[in-house]
Amino acid sequence: MIFSKMTEAQIILTRPLSGMIGIAIVMSGAIAVLVSMLITILILLENRNTILLFKIIGYKKREINKYLISGYLVSMMFAILTSVGIVWILLGQMGPTIQDIFYFNLVISFQ
């Protein structure tokens, strides 16, 4: 009985936080899609002459795509690892602050 009352109180207390986190996830996903589309367009515009040259020489579309993808694979992996590291550091630094502001435990474990 007491547990259910405490749980209800905790759910009511954390409902605004859950809503904010949901909105932040949706917005960050939309921003990520827009940024990746912009970067893709810039890469294609930058490599336009190279792509045309490959087509003139007689390379197939599959070979051209393989060339472009393999060229940027290293930078993509570096960007992903860097972003994971930044998020890990930010969560480690902001975890105690979030606990103090919203009065609940936020256990962050990367083990």
Side-chain angles (χ1 to χ4, degrees):
M1 187 76 157
I2 294 174
F3 180 74
S4 63
K5 295 286 185 186
M6 292 298 290
T7 304
E8 287 176 22
Q10 198 70 343
I11 289 173
I12 291 170
L13 182 65
T14 59
R15 190 171 290 148
L17 177 65
S18 299
M20 288 189 304
I21 290 173
I23 291 170
I25 289 171
V26 169
M27 288 178 65
S28 64
I31 290 171
V33 168
L34 289 173
V35 167
S36 60
M37 286 174 54
L38 181 66
I39 289 174
T40 303
I41 290 170
L42 290 173
I43 288 171
L44 289 175
L45 288 175
E46 183 180 316
N47 290 322
R48 181 177 46 195
N49 293 333
T50 307
I51 294 169
L52 290 175
L53 182 64
F54 279 143
K55 285 184 178 182
I56 290 171
I57 293 174
Y59 283 96
K60 296 177 180 160
K61 185 177 180 180
R62 181 175 159 221
E63 294 169 337
I64 296 172
N65 288 337
K66 183 179 177 184
Y67 163 74
L68 290 175
I69 291 172
S70 65
Y72 292 103
L73 188 62
V74 174
S75 62
M76 287 187 312
M77 294 304 290
F78 179 71
I80 290 170
L81 292 175
T82 303
S83 65
V84 167
I86 290 171
V87 168
W88 190 351
I89 290 170
L90 286 176
L91 283 176
Q93 296 294 322
M94 295 300 294
T97 306
I98 292 172
Q99 289 176 12
D100 292 340
I101 291 172
F102 293 105
Y103 304 109
F104 71 96
N105 280 339
L106 179 65
V107 179
I108 301 172
S109 176
F110 294 105
Q111 296 176 358

